[in-house]
Amino acid sequence: MIDTNANILETIQMIEEDKLDIRTVTMGISLLDCIDADGDRARAKIYDKITQRAKNLVRVAEGIEAELGIPIINKRIAVTPISIVAGASGDSDYLEYARTLDRAARAVGVDFIGGFSALVDKGQTEADRILMSSIPRALAETDVVCSSVDIGSSRAGINMDAVRDMGEVIRETADLTGEAHGFGCSKLVVFANAVSDNPFMAGAFHGVQETDCVVSVGVSGPGVVKRALEKTPGASLNVSAEVIKKAAFKITRVGQLVGNLAAERLGVSFGIVDLSLAPTAEVGDSVARVLEELGLEVVGTHGTTAALALLNDAMKKGGLMACSRVGGLSGSFIPISEDIGMIEAAAAGNITLDKLEAMTAICSVGLDMVAVPGDTPASTLSAMIADEAAIGVMNHKTTAVRVIPAVGLGVGDVVEFGGLLGRAPVMPAHEGSSEIFVRRAGHIPSPVHGFRN
């Protein structure tokens, strides 16, 4: 017989002591029916659809939060990639689309809106090129708009033309937001193998294969996992994996409950629960501390990648048992600025960009919220993107780069982002030039094992 009182007390402990929360409830909205040859009409349709569909999102999420006592940190919207929606308009600049998204998001009170995006893993249309060139001003001149570009996939290979261009886009975005040390780049992600049901920012967009409107949930819970491991000190790693699986099961059940309630009350479909462990800069909410609990003296030392592999696999196995609608990225995020253990390890030099790159072969995303010197050239940024894309393409997984050239700062300085974005020590990039490699452009072919059918 299930001990209901014990389960309730355990959930309360997870919330109050272990920092369990729902990181985001994200509504995905299709804008395909907003496409119009007249840009003004298209933007009016976009604004009307977002504000109509999402008008109750924040109220419903806050109601569930109060009813269940489970913190819901962010309420967000993801839309159809704007390069697809705007392509029919003939507009030569998509800044006004970004402004429309920003106004609509602020009208319904959400924290972020994602989907100022383009999918160019095989090649760019003219609409894709326009969107990519519009990103720097869009992120500099809006408040809550997030952008993403998918430049590679295991089936198509890596579009090195787009890789070259996105290094320049990041560089320009940093310069346009230089007074805030390149803060605009925190709202821009460059993907390989992007997924269309990701509820997390800055990379969320609503894929064309999705239904008209869905609600998806991203969970958190590093503190819950760490507390569970603390109860079995010195256990073998296979036993530790079982402990993590059980903790992941509990975390995911909470996410599914919230997602089902939100979808029902909003009258839309329930999408997925993303199982990713999403840390914050708060003490007690760190993926790095979970890895250290497994026996590492400090994250970044030898064994870190193996420990992360164990954590990621166990999280997915436990979550899949708890919920049949699992998607998104699902695994463990290792953002430098958003994880207190990663912040401290980077500041002490215990973790480097090279070690992070190795870890991204295992984790959910890639080089995430990494600050590099403010004068880092565009070609170096492009080369970072290419390296991460290669890991993703060769291993059939999602990888990404969200890198911030911290304008005006150098190695050893700290850039403050505030809120969930935390703070990041500026990490050194390699000084050897990648300029000639990046300028060769073209296409890196897909791997032979990418042709599965």
Side-chain angles (χ1 to χ4, degrees):
M1 182 175 178
I2 296 175
D3 187 343
T4 304
N5 289 332
N7 288 339
I8 292 171
L9 290 173
E10 183 179 40
T11 303
I12 291 172
Q13 178 186 3
M14 288 194 301
I15 295 167
E16 293 185 350
E17 298 181 20
D18 303 339
K19 308 293 185 183
L20 175 64
D21 58 50
I22 299 299
R23 185 52 45 87
T24 179
V25 171
T26 300
M27 175 177 280
I29 303 173
S30 173
L31 301 182
L32 293 177
D33 56 353
C34 299
I35 294 173
D36 199 292
D38 183 293
D40 290 333
R41 282 201 300 265
R43 289 186 288 273
K45 291 178 185 179
I46 290 169
Y47 181 87
D48 290 344
K49 184 164 189 182
I50 292 173
T51 52
Q52 191 278 324
R53 282 292 194 177
K55 62 183 178 182
N56 295 322
L57 175 60
V58 172
R59 179 183 60 80
V60 166
E62 289 176 344
I64 294 171
E65 186 176 18
E67 179 181 331
L68 300 180
I70 300 170
I72 299 175
I73 306 303
N74 280 289
K75 297 84 179 175
R76 299 165 171 171
I77 296 170
V79 299
T80 307
I82 291 298
S83 69
I84 297 173
V85 180
S89 68
D91 291 346
S92 60
D93 184 276
Y94 294 162
L95 177 59
E96 289 303 320
Y97 285 89
R99 288 173 173 161
T100 298
L101 295 179
D102 200 54
R103 286 193 302 111
R106 286 188 281 113
V108 298
V110 295
D111 300 286
F112 290 106
I113 184 166
F116 196 74
S117 305
L119 311 178
V120 299
D121 55 306
K122 203 167 186 179
Q124 295 117 291
T125 65
E126 183 60 24
D128 295 326
R129 293 187 186 95
I130 294 171
L131 184 129
M132 291 162 66
S133 67
S134 301
I135 288 173
R137 285 191 63 196
L139 298 184
E141 297 181 26
T142 61
D143 294 323
V144 297
V145 171
C146 293
S147 181
S148 60
V149 177
D150 185 42
I151 51 79
S153 68
S154 296
R155 195 61 186 248
I158 304 171
N159 183 346
M160 289 299 293
D161 291 341
V163 169
R164 174 201 59 205
D165 294 343
M166 287 310 299
E168 295 170 355
V169 166
I170 294 170
R171 182 67 265 170
E172 185 179 350
T173 303
D175 292 337
L176 286 178
T177 56
E179 291 185 0
H181 303 302
F183 177 75
C185 297
S186 69
K187 299 183 289 179
L188 173 59
V189 180
V190 186
F191 279 115
N193 289 324
V195 296
S196 63
D197 55 1
N198 166 24
F200 288 106
M201 298 297 168
F205 63 87
H206 187 70
V208 296
Q209 71 272 46
E210 302 286 335
T211 189
D212 188 65
C213 189
V214 300
V215 167
S216 295
V217 170
V219 298
S220 182
V224 177
V225 175
K226 182 176 184 296
R227 181 66 66 92
L229 289 171
E230 288 174 349
K231 296 176 181 177
T232 56
S236 66
L237 292 178
N238 57 295
V239 170
S240 298
E242 291 299 314
V243 170
I244 294 169
K245 283 165 58 177
K246 291 175 183 177
F249 181 92
K250 297 171 186 175
I251 294 167
T252 306
R253 293 296 281 181
V254 172
Q256 181 174 255
L257 172 61
V258 171
N260 280 327
L261 286 174
E264 179 183 345
R265 294 176 186 183
L266 289 165
V268 302
S269 302
F270 171 49
I272 56 93
V273 176
D274 188 307
L275 306 179
S276 299
L277 282 182
T280 71
E282 291 187 35
V283 174
D285 199 22
S286 164
V287 170
R289 296 291 185 248
V290 176
L291 300 178
E292 291 168 355
E293 188 63 35
L294 287 169
L296 304 173
E297 182 177 1
V298 62
V299 68
T301 193
H302 301 293
T304 297
T305 307
L308 183 59
L310 182 153
L311 173 62
N312 237 33
D313 183 65
M315 279 295 302
K316 291 177 181 180
K317 288 174 178 173
L320 285 168
M321 289 294 292
C323 178
S324 60
R325 302 294 297 269
V326 171
L329 300 169
S330 291
S332 299
F333 289 156
I334 52 169
I336 290 294
S337 75
E338 300 171 22
D339 185 312
I340 185 62
M342 297 294 286
I343 292 169
E344 292 177 356
N350 292 317
I351 196 160
T352 64
L353 285 178
D354 290 339
K355 184 60 177 179
L356 274 177
E357 186 178 302
M359 293 168 69
T360 61
I362 303 299
C363 73
S364 285
V365 193
L367 298 179
D368 193 17
M369 289 302 291
V370 173
V372 295
D375 59 358
T376 302
S379 59
T380 298
L381 302 172
S382 293
M384 291 179 183
I385 294 168
D387 282 343
E388 278 301 312
I391 291 173
V393 166
M394 293 296 175
N395 290 285
H396 290 269
K397 70 181 295 294
T398 302
T399 51
V401 171
R402 185 163 50 147
V403 61
I404 300 97
V407 177
L409 300 179
V411 174
D413 293 326
V414 176
V415 56
E416 296 280 351
F417 298 116
L420 281 178
L421 296 178
R423 65 188 186 277
V426 178
M427 302 176 71
H430 287 288
E431 295 183 1
S433 175
S434 308
E435 179 80 24
I436 295 175
F437 172 72
V438 169
R439 292 298 162 193
R440 292 173 75 105
H443 214 95
I444 295 179
S446 58
V448 64
H449 58 269
F451 293 98
R452 297 176 176 176
N453 199 358

